[in-house]
Amino acid sequence: MTVLIAPFVTAARFQRPGREDRLADPAIAGAQVARTGIGLGATAWLFYAYSLRQGAEDVINDKITEMLIAAAVLMVVGPLVVGAFVAAARPSLRSVYRRRLPGPLTAFGVLLVAAALLAFAFRRDLHDRLFGGVGGAGLLLTLLISLTGLFLVPFVLTSSVLCVHHAFRTADIHEVLPPLLSPVVVVAMSVLQAIDGPPVNAPHSVWFLFLAGAPLSVTGLSFWELRRLRTHHGITLRTALGR
């Protein structure tokens, strides 16, 4: 049982915010869980209701590639948003926010490295090219990579869900950052999905609603989170920046 849950526990450890003094609002947390659950449910329904456009292996490879591209995009967009926030803060607060950066940086780095390793684990042609000439040692290395892939599949999938859910642990820096960054993250991923095309034979209207639903709902929830932080806790972007 410990082995089976290890990928999920490890992903949660890297992706959940860890700052002890951060604000924990049950209503905001519940809304975020509901949003994530609805998104996962909609995705599951899409794959259940319509047939795959390609074979299962091709779909998995496409999703891994999409995940790598999304991680690369977010590795640029996320730090830009966080960097702009820290730079806009008053000098007395910048040092505080800089000390809180290791958590989000770890969340970014772990997802990118894990996705790259998973993509390599699925490339049998690369395994043959790299290890084909070393005999028994090559077979052992291929076996180890395959076993690592078994760990990485649930780890990367769980990390991908949690990184969007927790906005790459940016609450470790300040509570206003997740609702600011979440729409940017979801819009970037929706654009990548739109470019890649639907993985199932769904009507264009269904696929459009699926693509538009995520950024619209996340943006609406982000406005609500910022309003609740202001009205219930007195936290605004201006106070976060010390302006």
Side-chain angles (χ1 to χ4, degrees), residues 12-235:
R13 184 172 299 174
F14 280 117
Q15 297 297 337
R16 284 178 179 168
R19 181 165 61 90
E20 295 181 357
D21 61 341
R22 73 184 186 282
L23 173 68
D25 187 309
I28 292 177
Q32 291 172 342
V33 170
R35 177 199 68 197
T36 302
I38 292 172
L40 292 175
T43 302
W45 173 83
L46 190 71
F47 279 94
Y48 174 78
Y50 300 99
S51 60
L52 296 176
R53 296 184 64 185
Q54 301 172 303
E57 184 176 352
D58 292 332
V59 171
I60 292 174
N61 288 333
D62 287 345
K63 288 302 175 184
I64 292 174
T65 302
E66 180 183 298
M67 196 178 303
L68 278 171
I69 298 174
V73 171
L74 298 178
M75 283 291 290
V76 175
V77 175
L80 285 176
V81 174
V82 173
F85 174 83
V86 175
R90 287 194 178 277
S92 59
L93 292 174
R94 288 177 195 165
S95 59
V96 175
Y97 295 152
R98 281 196 294 265
R99 288 196 298 270
R100 298 175 180 176
L101 286 175
L105 291 177
T106 299
F108 278 118
V110 165
L111 179 58
L112 182 63
V113 171
L117 290 175
L118 182 59
F120 176 74
F122 275 88
R123 293 293 302 273
R124 296 295 179 87
D125 56 330
L126 290 180
H127 303 170
D128 296 338
R129 192 179 306 168
L130 293 173
F131 310 131
V134 293
L139 292 175
L140 179 61
L141 287 172
T142 300
L143 176 61
L144 290 175
I145 291 172
S146 299
L147 292 175
T148 303
L150 293 177
F151 174 88
L152 287 174
V153 168
F155 176 81
V156 170
L157 290 176
T158 305
S159 294
S160 300
V161 173
L162 291 178
C163 78
V164 176
H165 179 74
H166 294 295
F168 287 100
R169 289 182 62 174
T170 47
D172 279 351
I173 300 176
H174 198 279
E175 288 77 6
V176 300
L177 274 175
L180 292 176
L181 184 59
S182 292
V184 179
V185 172
V186 176
V187 167
M189 297 181 71
S190 296
V191 169
L192 291 173
Q193 289 177 336
I195 294 173
D196 191 42
V200 297
N201 294 306
H204 292 297
S205 57
V206 173
W207 180 238
F208 175 77
L209 288 175
F210 182 82
L211 287 178
L216 289 177
S217 60
V218 170
T219 301
L221 180 60
S222 294
F223 278 112
W224 175 81
E225 286 183 31
L226 290 171
R227 182 176 181 277
R228 183 171 178 84
L229 288 174
R230 175 174 57 83
T231 57
H232 286 71
H233 307 286
I235 297 175

